[in-house]
Amino acid sequence: MKAKKVMVIHVKDDIEKEELMKELQKLELPAFIYVHGKLNSLKVNIQGTKDEIREAMQKVREIHQRVRSRLYPDRRGLYQYNIDDIFREAGTSVAVPILLKTLELLGEKAELRDNRLISSLPWSEIVELTKKLGDALSEIALQTTRQIREVVLPIAIAFELDPQEVLDLALELGVAEYKEDKFKYELIKNKEQALEIMLKKLTGEENED
């Protein structure tokens, strides 16, 4: 037997309302959902069996929680993001260690808990950053190994350099080499050493020793 339920979700502003509507439109559930935007709220009409309605209400609440945690910082000034949400919004994906290291080099807080990224960088900026990383990755993906990408891409984005320039610098500093037989750049130092050597060069610290 079909039933109906109406949920009213209160929102702080138009941005929250738009983000929430966008997420709800992507929902694929057995229940039928119709969303109507009001001044400071969204009215969600749900039709289906009792179980379908219960499942839909749970999903709607989870989505609202996700949207709020990525739009509004907690008391420490940090946002919480679902990693998949970031990649979906950016229309690209990169290895999570690359995103974390880039945030760190930019001086932003970055911590991973399960599939959640806790960061000081606001939503629109983290999406933009991920797009830049995706673009840079596409330039060098075929000629690099996963390990060297975890060094080159964060440096390229943090220092606003062309990824190929960073690869050339890695060769020059002796932290990587080009394998002719594989047509690929590979690290010959471990990631931490390579990063340290390259960062010292780029920040001028090597001259202070």
Side-chain angles (χ1 to χ4, degrees), residues 140-165:
I140 62 166
L142 296 175
Q143 56 183 347
T144 51
T145 60
R146 179 181 57 80
Q147 278 210 319
I148 198 169
R149 289 197 287 268
E150 288 182 19
V151 173
V152 168
L153 292 175
I155 287 176
I157 300 306
F159 289 85
E160 298 183 359
L161 296 168
D162 185 278
Q164 187 60 53
E165 273 183 71

Side-chain angles (χ1 to χ4, degrees), residues 17 21 35-39 41-43:
K17 190 193 295 181
M21 284 188 83
V35 184
H36 178 60
K38 293 187 151 299
L39 189 60
S41 64
L42 284 181
K43 197 172 171 183

